Amino acid sequence: MLRASALAPLALLALLGACEPTPKDDRAETSRAFPKADRPVSELGSNSVSNESDRDDRNEANTVMNLAGVAPGMSVADIGAGEGYYTVRLAERVTRSGRVLAQDIDGDALRRLGSRVEADRLDNVSIKPGGEDDPKLPERSFDRVFLVHMYHEVAEPYAFLWRLWPSLKPGGRVVVVDIDRATDSHGIPPALLICEMAAVGFRLDEFHRKPELAGYYAQFVAAQTRPEPGAIKPCRLKAAMGAGATSALKGN
């Protein structure tokens, strides 16, 4: 009896411990097969078009489209399109023989973009909502996929990029325009971007720093294969910022 009574408090403590809530995991079920990003994420930025004239004054869109080699007849995707700064300019560049798919997760922004597309009679533009961990792009459909000043807001980069990978046509490119600063300050260091892209099967093809962009331009091609989700090796923030990762940027 003494032994049983002595063990009772221990049993009670074990029971209480088993009832303690587990740490909350707010990741979407569709992301859990992929590694979690080892970096903070910026809050969703403004979709306002109020700075479009400033961006045109420094020739931003033309600089990006020229670097990307956007030409008539191409099929392009504008991911995180917002209210359409790039969408409308891409539509003009690819002409009526080309196609533009504008995607965003902000339904209100897409509705405003839809009104703009209708008013401008941009018949070569389609609008589609995306997911936070999935751009929901049709396979083998795009010559260029643009991620302009939005990648730092992607909370599940490995799931997002892995699902983007099949959308490129042979010879297609992914274009990222961003700012070289911390990911919770609406930017991403280039070395970390390159590491995350490489982890899911993309290789850096071009890199440029341009004053017209107020940041940098990075262009990627798809490798022949992509790893299975469970085989993806996540980038560690400190390691990605090491000399080995940044050496790819020298001379650009």
Side-chain angles (χ1 to χ4, degrees):
M1 293 296 293
L2 283 176
R3 172 171 284 184
S5 62
L7 290 175
L10 296 176
L12 179 60
L13 287 173
L15 180 61
L16 291 174
C19 294
E20 289 181 1
T22 57
K24 183 179 179 181
D25 182 356
D26 56 0
R27 301 182 74 196
E29 193 65 38
T30 52
S31 300
R32 293 187 180 183
F34 298 86
K36 188 173 183 179
D38 180 35
R39 59 170 171 84
V41 178
S42 294
E43 296 181 359
L44 295 181
S46 169
N47 285 312
S48 172
V49 297
S50 61
N51 65 345
E52 286 199 10
S53 60
D54 293 338
R55 298 171 82 174
D56 279 344
D57 285 346
R58 65 174 184 261
N59 204 34
E60 177 187 329
N62 280 327
T63 298
V64 169
M65 291 188 294
N66 289 342
L67 287 170
V70 178
M74 279 189 170
S75 177
V76 301
D78 182 15
I79 309 302
E83 294 180 8
Y85 174 71
Y86 272 88
T87 298
V88 298
R89 289 157 180 80
L90 286 166
E92 181 179 1
R93 180 68 71 96
V94 302
T95 72
R96 290 182 177 273
S97 63
R99 297 293 303 173
V100 178
L101 176 64
Q103 183 260 45
D104 206 292
I105 63 173
D106 185 334
D108 290 336
L110 287 183
R111 282 187 284 275
R112 291 190 291 272
L113 175 56
S115 298
R116 184 177 188 179
V117 166
E118 184 176 355
D120 291 349
R121 299 182 181 276
L122 300 177
D123 297 331
N124 60 346
V125 173
S126 301
I127 296 174
K128 181 180 180 180
E132 293 187 358
D133 63 358
D134 186 354
K136 299 184 179 180
L137 301 178
E139 292 188 10
R140 299 175 67 86
S141 297
F142 298 102
D143 299 293
R144 301 289 184 271
V145 175
F146 289 85
L147 310 173
V148 180
H149 294 300
M150 59 75 65
Y151 182 78
H152 52 261
E153 296 174 356
V154 178
E156 297 286 353
Y158 303 111
F160 183 90
L161 294 172
W162 192 86
R163 291 171 175 140
L164 183 152
W165 187 90
S167 70
L168 292 177
K169 292 180 179 179
R173 301 287 189 271
V174 176
V175 171
V176 180
V177 177
D178 225 308
I179 301 174
D180 186 357
R181 62 189 181 202
T183 53
D184 54 356
S185 298
H186 294 282
I188 183 167
L192 181 57
L193 167 68
I194 293 166
C195 182
E196 290 184 350
M197 296 288 290
V200 296
F202 290 99
R203 176 178 58 81
L204 181 67
D205 183 47
E206 290 188 28
F207 183 87
H208 306 276
R209 296 184 188 271
K210 295 282 187 180
E212 297 94 330
L213 310 181
Y216 63 84
Y217 172 102
Q219 181 174 287
F220 298 86
V221 296
Q224 299 233 336
T225 60
R226 60 177 174 170
E228 290 301 314
I232 294 172
K233 296 181 179 180
C235 300
R236 301 306 176 194
L237 183 57
K238 290 183 179 180
M241 299 306 297
T246 57
S247 62
L249 308 180
K250 290 181 180 180
N252 292 286

